[in-house]
Amino acid sequence: MKKIGMLFALLAGALLAAQAQAQASGQWYIGAGGGSVWSDGASPYPDTQDDGVATGYKVYGGAIGENWGMELGYYHFGAYDVNFNNVKVAESSLESVVPAIVYAMDFYTGYVFHAKLGIAFTQYKYTCVSSCGVGVPANLTTKETGLSGMWGLGVGARFTKNFEMRMDWEHFGAVHEAVNTTTFKDAYDMFSVSAQLNF
């Protein structure tokens, strides 16, 4: 928890510095996109099988100066089916709000490299749709919230001054999850393609 607190303090300071730079030389942007999400965290039970890949989406906005900026994003990581003997017994999903510092650099005419570092405020939801084990009632829903670190790398292609397409790989580590009274953590990775408007 101390590491998260230190990361949060560093991020807050960096966000203030990025905001000042963005206001000084400033470009604002908004975007939305979707893609594939990988995780082994749909279920903690070794005798169940879960989908390894789901389809997720994100919406985001931010401000950036010459190189540094800040971004706020909402992520939905899709839904994972949890199966026992090839029968769906439950479904899990994850969503997150992420404030992040962003670094951007032109590396070729019309192309931009992006990197980001943030803190993910996550909510994991697990819903039992049939009998999930002895003593576990049907339609049991468990929610678990938490904080985890997030980093991302990406490339953008500027078709015009105001329109950009982005490809991003974003990693969310040690996401807090729970099924009934069993708590656990797992990582999520998202590859997405987004359309972005620059102002």
Side-chain angles (χ1 to χ4, degrees), residues 163-179:
F163 180 72
E164 181 177 332
M165 293 294 295
R166 282 174 53 166
M167 291 190 301
D168 292 291
W169 183 277
E170 293 157 302
H171 176 78
F172 297 75
V175 173
H176 294 252
E177 301 167 310
V179 177

Side-chain angles (χ1 to χ4, degrees), residues 99-120:
I101 55 172
V102 178
Y103 176 80
M105 178 185 69
D106 294 342
F107 69 92
Y108 191 70
T109 304
Y111 291 91
V112 185
F113 167 78
H114 303 273
K116 67 177 72 172
L117 178 66
I119 293 180

Side-chain angles (χ1 to χ4, degrees), residues 27-97:
Q27 175 180 283
W28 295 85
Y29 61 89
I30 58 172
S36 297
V37 183
W38 289 265
S39 179
D40 293 325
S43 174
Y45 303 124
D47 55 350
T48 61
Q49 304 84 40
D50 59 73
D51 296 334
V53 183
T55 301
Y57 66 88
K58 65 179 181 180
V59 292
Y60 61 91
I64 195 161
E66 185 176 348
N67 293 110
W68 293 95
M70 60 179 186
E71 184 175 295
L72 181 67
Y74 168 78
Y75 295 76
H76 193 286
F77 296 88
Y80 292 83
D81 289 344
V82 181
N83 302 300
F84 180 73
N85 290 333
N86 297 317
V87 176
K88 181 178 176 179
V89 295
E91 183 178 273
S92 72
S93 62
L94 177 71
E95 56 186 345
S96 180
V97 173

